[in-house]
């Protein structure tokens, strides 16, 4: 009897098999182990497509889904066999038996025998499905198998005549999150929100960015998250104006803002939270003015989402609120509509307001369908993250604004009746932040 987690992955494989053509086969190798330096490997994390269908997190594996007119459907995992001596060095393996009993595959075969079995599996199939972006992983293997089948044509063998990319089908499946997936993401977001709170509590003038990063990492691991969803951004002062700042090695002086963009993952599912706060616990008037514009944009964008609403609407809302705010502060001059149309805000707000979120922090799924912005649908999870960044060397603005960078990012789930903010555990009202840091 499979546990509930394995059942979810089994159901996904069955769902995908239903979309596949008769007499077809899907071949999806796992990502290879990456070398950091010398004999040191990066911590292994399977690519998201492979994990989405398998739930299997060991390297040296390949997923095969077969849809046969005579024998129905079958899921096969090629993986490493149990090997006591190697397991003593590298850790336990599921092995062939575990792949069936623990992960719900119909059959498991040694990964070392993939080249031997592939021609037989492909024989008689009309369609071969792959993810074209990852086809190079199995290019030699597939070409060799196809060549063998063509050479055996006079003996009745036949190779697939159609090779299709199944990426778009999988992207559409991954875009709509199941209750199981939402549960994993909520857990990751709760841990990440607690990490942001702990970083705020730990902040004090003269602390180093990496010390706050350590607070994040400690809370992630204490909460049961073995991996960050992405490299944490801990940006003090002027560094907050660098969108993907990851050096995290500078001292944060008194009076500076700290922008932290960080999240962990649970069972592969990501969280993605950004909060900005003063290292000394008190916003200056200028920091507060910029912060309030970004917060208003964040809240207005969230309130604009609903089932049936277009993807671009929250972003357009943030553009309007931010442009209005920058006019009010005198940072932009001119008429609102003209400034929006000319993108005059872009020196200060140069990114979109959000992205899909799931197994990848920038998750898969088209933002436009047939040339139109996609309608929001229950089960979609995405970020809303407006920001204002005023470069420290921007001579076009008054000196008091320079070097202020603010971003506020929440994770939002579309529901049947509206939306749910999944990151409420991380405070974003100025008063709440100052109270937490007092």
């Amino acid at each position: 009897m499979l546990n509930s987690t394995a059942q979810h992955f089994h159901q996904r494989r069955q769902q995908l098999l239903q979309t596949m053509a008769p007499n077809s086969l899907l071949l999806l190798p796992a990502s290879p182990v990456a070398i950091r330096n010398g004999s040191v490997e990066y911590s292994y994390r399977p690519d998201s497509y492979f994990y989405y269908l398998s739930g299997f997190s060991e390297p040296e594996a390949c997923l095969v889904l077969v849809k046969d007119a005579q024998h129905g459907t079958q899921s096969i995992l090629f993986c490493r066999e149990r090997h006591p001596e190697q397991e003593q060095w590298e850790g336990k393996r599921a092995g062939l038996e575990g792949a069936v009993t623990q992960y719900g595959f119909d059959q498991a075969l040694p990964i070392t025998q993939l080249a031997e079995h592939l021609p037989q599996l492909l024989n008689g199939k009309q369609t071969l499905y792959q993810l074209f972006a990852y086809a190079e992983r199995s290019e030699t293997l597939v070409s060799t198998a196809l060549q063998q089948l063509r050479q055996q044509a006079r003996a009745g063998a036949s190779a697939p005549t159609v090779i299709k990319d199944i990426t778009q089908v999988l992207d559409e499946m991954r875009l709509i999150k199941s209750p199981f997936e939402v549960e994993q993401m909520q857990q990751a977001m709760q841990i990440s929100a607690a990490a942001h709170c702990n970083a705020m509590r730990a902040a004090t003038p003269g602390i180093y960015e990496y010390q706050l990063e350590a607070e994040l990492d400690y809370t992630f691991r204490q909460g049961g998250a073995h991996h960050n969803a992405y490299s944490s951004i801990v940006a003090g002062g002027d560094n907050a104006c660098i969108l993907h700042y990851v050096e995290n090695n500078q001292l944060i002086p008194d009076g500076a803002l700290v922008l932290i963009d960080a999240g962990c993952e649970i069972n592969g599912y990501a969280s993605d939270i950004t909060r900005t706060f003063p290292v000394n616990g008190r916003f200056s008037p200028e920091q507060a003015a910029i912060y309030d514009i970004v917060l208003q944009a964040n809240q207005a964008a969230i309130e604009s989402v609903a089932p049936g609403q277009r993807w671009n609407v929250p972003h357009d809302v943030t553009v309007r609120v931010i442009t209005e705010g920058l006019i009010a502060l005198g940072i932009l001059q001119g008429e609102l509509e003209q400034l929006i149309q000319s993108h005059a805000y872009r020196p200060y707000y140069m990114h979109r307001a959000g992205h899909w979120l799931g197994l990848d922090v920038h998750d898969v799924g088209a933002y436009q369908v047939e040339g139109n912005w996609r309608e929001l649908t229950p089960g979609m999870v995405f970020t809303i993250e407006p920001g204002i960044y005023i470069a420290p060397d921007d001579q076009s603005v008054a000196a008091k604004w320079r070097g202020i960078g603010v971003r506020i990012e929440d994770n939002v789930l579309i529901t049947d009746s509206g939306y749910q903010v999944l990151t409420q555990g991380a405070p974003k009202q100025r008063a709440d932040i100052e109270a937490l840091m007092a």
Side-chain angles (χ1 to χ4, degrees), residues 186-228:
Q186 283 182 306
Q187 185 179 351
M189 292 165 193
Q190 289 169 1
I191 297 168
S192 297
H196 279 264
C197 291
N198 286 342
M200 291 179 190
R201 293 188 185 99
T204 187
I207 198 169
Y208 280 87
E209 293 164 338
Y210 57 76
Q211 292 177 295
L212 294 181
E213 184 178 16
E215 293 288 339
L216 298 169
D217 290 343
Y218 177 78
T219 309
F220 292 164
R221 304 301 175 265
Q222 281 286 99
H226 298 290
H227 297 282
N228 293 22

Side-chain angles (χ1 to χ4, degrees), residues 43-72:
S43 177
Y44 185 74
R45 199 265 197 197
D47 80 72
S48 296
Y49 288 108
F50 178 84
Y51 183 77
Y52 180 76
L53 292 174
S54 69
F56 193 76
S57 56
E58 295 182 23
E60 298 180 67
C62 184
L63 170 65
V64 175
L65 298 182
V66 181
K67 189 170 185 178
D68 189 285
Q70 290 183 325
H71 303 101

Side-chain angles (χ1 to χ4, degrees), residues 151-387:
Q151 291 172 350
Q152 298 168 13
R154 285 186 291 177
S158 64
T161 57
V162 177
I163 299 179
K164 286 188 175 181
D165 187 7
I166 204 165
T167 303
Q168 185 176 2
V169 174
L170 281 171
D171 286 355
E172 290 298 303
M173 288 175 59
R174 287 176 56 183
L175 184 56
I176 307 301
K177 306 301 187 290
S178 68
F180 166 78
E181 292 177 286
V182 173
E183 181 181 341
Q184 309 308 303
M185 297 179 74
Q186 283 182 306
Q187 185 179 351
M189 292 165 193
Q190 289 169 1
I191 297 168
S192 297
H196 279 264
C197 291
N198 286 342
M200 291 179 190
R201 293 188 185 99
T204 187
I207 198 169
Y208 280 87
E209 293 164 338
Y210 57 76
Q211 292 177 295
L212 294 181
E213 184 178 16
E215 293 288 339
L216 298 169
D217 290 343
Y218 177 78
T219 309
F220 292 164
R221 304 301 175 265
Q222 281 286 99
H226 298 290
H227 297 282
N228 293 22
Y230 52 96
S231 297
S232 296
I233 296 170
V234 183
D238 295 351
N239 295 331
C241 297
I242 303 171
L243 298 186
H244 290 162
Y245 172 83
V246 292
E247 284 80 2
N248 302 347
N249 59 7
Q250 297 299 303
L251 182 146
I252 308 172
D254 190 13
L257 287 177
V258 184
L259 186 157
I260 294 183
D261 186 338
C264 66
E265 67 175 35
I266 290 291
N267 293 325
Y269 285 90
S271 57
D272 186 4
I273 304 174
T274 306
R275 292 293 186 262
T276 307
F277 57 91
V279 71
N280 62 13
R282 291 290 173 184
F283 289 89
S284 73
E286 291 77 20
Q287 292 168 349
I290 297 296
Y291 188 93
D292 287 348
I293 296 170
V294 177
L295 180 60
Q296 182 184 354
N298 168 274
Q299 293 173 323
I302 290 173
E303 291 170 2
S304 75
V305 304
Q309 184 63 278
R310 297 284 180 178
W311 163 259
N312 62 303
V313 170
H315 175 73
D316 293 344
V317 167
T318 64
V319 166
R320 181 167 294 274
V321 172
I322 286 174
T323 305
E324 287 176 339
L326 293 176
I327 292 172
L329 295 182
I331 294 173
L332 289 178
Q333 292 85 35
E335 193 271 326
L336 175 63
E337 298 301 332
Q338 191 276 328
L339 291 173
I340 292 175
Q341 185 176 2
S342 66
H343 303 146
Y345 57 86
R346 281 192 177 172
Y348 312 106
Y349 178 35
M350 62 288 294
H351 57 78
R352 299 288 300 183
H355 52 79
W356 305 129
L357 187 64
L359 282 172
D360 293 318
V361 68
H362 291 159
D363 210 28
V364 297
Y367 293 96
Q368 290 193 355
V369 179
E370 296 180 348
N372 297 311
W373 290 108
R374 183 188 283 275
E375 290 187 2
L376 300 177
T377 302
M380 292 177 173
V381 181
F382 52 92
T383 68
I384 289 183
E385 49 177 309

Side-chain angles (χ1 to χ4, degrees), residues 11-187:
Q11 290 167 3
R12 287 179 195 160
R13 294 193 291 272
Q14 293 303 118
Q15 181 182 350
L16 183 62
L17 279 161
Q18 295 305 311
T19 73
M20 292 168 54
N23 289 325
S24 63
L25 180 145
L26 166 69
L27 183 71
L28 180 55
S31 51
V33 171
I35 300 299
R36 180 182 182 272
N37 62 291
S39 59
V40 179
E41 300 171 352
Y42 281 105
S43 177
Y44 185 74
R45 199 265 197 197
D47 80 72
S48 296
Y49 288 108
F50 178 84
Y51 183 77
Y52 180 76
L53 292 174
S54 69
F56 193 76
S57 56
E58 295 182 23
E60 298 180 67
C62 184
L63 170 65
V64 175
L65 298 182
V66 181
K67 189 170 185 178
D68 189 285
Q70 290 183 325
H71 303 101
T73 62
Q74 187 179 26
S75 63
I76 305 170
L77 184 69
F78 287 85
C79 62
R80 302 178 302 181
E81 297 181 86
R82 296 293 307 275
H83 194 296
E85 183 177 348
Q86 290 186 349
E87 289 181 55
Q88 186 175 16
W89 285 86
E90 301 171 356
K92 293 183 178 180
R93 302 176 177 182
L96 307 185
E97 181 180 354
V100 175
T101 60
Q102 298 174 34
Y103 294 90
F105 289 93
D106 299 316
Q107 185 179 7
L109 296 167
I111 188 65
T112 54
Q113 297 179 15
L114 178 57
E116 174 187 340
H117 285 275
L118 190 57
Q120 178 185 352
L121 290 168
L122 286 171
N123 186 21
K125 303 299 183 296
Q126 296 175 350
T127 305
L128 168 62
Y129 290 101
Q130 293 184 288
L131 274 77
F132 282 5
Y134 303 120
E136 75 280 356
R137 294 179 189 166
S138 56
E139 183 177 0
T140 301
L141 188 72
V142 169
S143 62
T144 300
L146 294 179
Q147 184 64 23
Q148 289 177 10
L149 288 174
R150 292 172 184 133
Q151 291 172 350
Q152 298 168 13
R154 285 186 291 177
S158 64
T161 57
V162 177
I163 299 179
K164 286 188 175 181
D165 187 7
I166 204 165
T167 303
Q168 185 176 2
V169 174
L170 281 171
D171 286 355
E172 290 298 303
M173 288 175 59
R174 287 176 56 183
L175 184 56
I176 307 301
K177 306 301 187 290
S178 68
F180 166 78
E181 292 177 286
V182 173
E183 181 181 341
Q184 309 308 303
M185 297 179 74
Q186 283 182 306
Q187 185 179 351

